[in-house]
Amino acid sequence: MQATVPADQVSADVRRALEEDVGSGDLTAALVPASQRAVATIICRESAIVCGRPWVDEVLRQVAPGARATWHITDGQRTTPGAKVVEIEGSARELLTAERVCLNFMQTLSAVATKTAAYVDAVRGTRAAILDTRKTIPGLRIAEKYAVRCGGGKNHRMGLYDAILIKENHIAAAGGLTAAFRAAQALKAQVQFIQVEVETLSQLQEALDAGVEMVLLDNMPLETIREAVRMAGGRCSLEISGGVSFETLRPYAETGVDRISVGGLIKDIKAVDFSMRFSDKPVER
């Protein structure tokens, strides 16, 4: 898996999570003798794309620096029900404290990666790439967008600072589509891309006439999207957003659009079932 994530961001995510969960100290773990050693095994209870290793490793670095982790399934790989994902040997107290935060990252990020992989598989053989959106959990955007990449998807803009997406409210406030696009062109050298959202074919024609290179087709019916692809004729890249379900995904992809952005990859997920089991036996090496 080639997806990467900034180490300082992972560290910050974990620090916030530990402050929330551990606070001034783990009162229950303190009941275990300080000298007690244990082996903790994280098990996945269902078929899923695993994601979250950098966060688990960082939890261990911050909470259990002497622990040794042996990964059997890593990010971007599919696991089967009951599979051992990682075995961790270390202080029983420290592993008990680390348990819930490790599992929280794993269950959430694996859910995003798993759902993304299903969408990517559904459009395989078409030209359409599956992208995420900015509909993320506050504070976990970089982590969740990493999970999308682990599932085979691609990231849209990270935030409002790295690309321009001119939406309906921008168009209304700026005095029209062409006016908004012309203003955006002055910033072209500073951003990854400039994209314009259109809701009608007449707006699409205006965007084409203005020289827009990336167009977002917002909540258009299937037949209208087919006509939009014909109108564009390859003069710009076309992206679909809104109104796409998993059941309708393939027909939309087969229209010939380049990209399909899906907010549900992140905001509508079901956590993957992970658990951690302890033993006092050493890890076999």
Side-chain angles (χ1 to χ4, degrees):
M1 183 69 243
Q2 298 302 311
T4 58
V5 64
D8 59 343
Q9 182 63 50
V10 176
S11 179
D13 290 345
V14 168
R15 187 165 56 253
R16 288 196 312 273
L18 290 172
E19 288 172 355
E20 177 181 74
D21 197 43
V22 181
S24 60
D26 184 346
L27 299 176
T28 315
L31 304 177
V32 176
S35 61
Q36 181 70 33
R37 303 283 294 178
V39 174
T41 302
I42 294 181
I43 299 167
C44 188
R45 301 296 186 185
E46 57 188 293
S47 177
I49 301 295
V50 168
C51 184
R53 176 173 178 172
W55 287 266
V56 171
D57 286 342
E58 179 62 18
V59 172
L60 297 177
R61 189 189 72 80
Q62 292 190 28
V63 174
R68 293 182 296 175
T70 302
W71 286 86
H72 303 294
I73 303 170
T74 193
D75 287 4
Q77 296 179 336
R78 183 170 290 279
T79 182
T80 54
K84 295 180 179 179
V85 176
V86 58
E87 291 176 292
I88 310 163
E89 182 180 11
S91 159
R93 276 188 181 182
E94 292 171 348
L95 296 185
L96 286 165
T97 300
E99 176 182 1
R100 177 40 55 193
V101 174
C102 287
L103 295 178
N104 283 351
F105 280 116
M106 291 289 290
Q107 69 184 21
T108 301
L109 300 184
S110 295
V112 173
T114 302
K115 188 165 188 178
T116 300
Y119 276 70
V120 170
D121 287 343
V123 302
R124 199 171 303 282
T126 72
R127 65 184 298 164
I130 298 297
L131 286 83
D132 53 28
T133 71
R134 288 166 47 236
K135 298 173 183 177
T136 57
I137 296 174
L140 284 181
R141 178 168 297 174
I142 290 175
E144 291 176 319
K145 282 179 171 281
Y146 165 86
V148 167
R149 298 195 302 277
C150 284
K154 296 183 178 180
N155 297 149
H156 203 276
R157 58 180 176 165
M158 189 61 66
L160 298 175
Y161 55 86
D162 59 341
I164 293 175
L165 172 52
I166 302 170
K167 299 169 72 70
E168 57 181 319
N169 287 336
H170 300 104
I171 291 171
L177 185 154
T178 300
F181 178 63
R182 294 285 179 247
Q185 286 183 303
L187 301 173
K188 187 173 183 178
Q190 303 174 36
V191 298
Q192 292 184 24
F193 60 80
I194 299 171
Q195 187 175 35
V196 177
E197 177 186 274
V198 303
E199 297 177 307
T200 65
L201 293 178
S202 61
Q203 282 188 321
L204 172 60
Q205 187 60 59
E206 183 180 356
L208 293 171
D209 292 342
V212 175
E213 296 177 346
M214 295 180 67
V215 173
L216 178 66
L217 306 175
D218 182 45
N219 280 292
M220 286 187 177
L222 188 59
E223 288 304 319
T224 305
I225 291 172
R226 289 196 180 104
E227 179 61 18
V229 172
R230 187 198 65 77
M231 284 177 58
R235 286 181 286 169
C236 67
S237 71
L238 293 176
E239 178 179 331
I240 298 172
S241 181
V244 181
S245 66
F246 187 76
E247 291 70 29
T248 62
L249 183 64
R250 182 76 189 190
Y252 277 102
E254 290 175 343
T255 63
V257 296
D258 302 283
R259 298 146 52 108
I260 302 176
S261 53
V262 184
L265 297 182
I266 292 173
K267 72 183 184 72
D268 297 325
I269 58 168
K270 176 183 176 294
V272 173
D273 187 4
F274 286 92
S275 64
M276 184 182 283
R277 290 292 177 262
F278 280 70
S279 75
D280 58 2
K281 297 179 181 179
V283 177
E284 293 183 6
R285 297 183 181 276

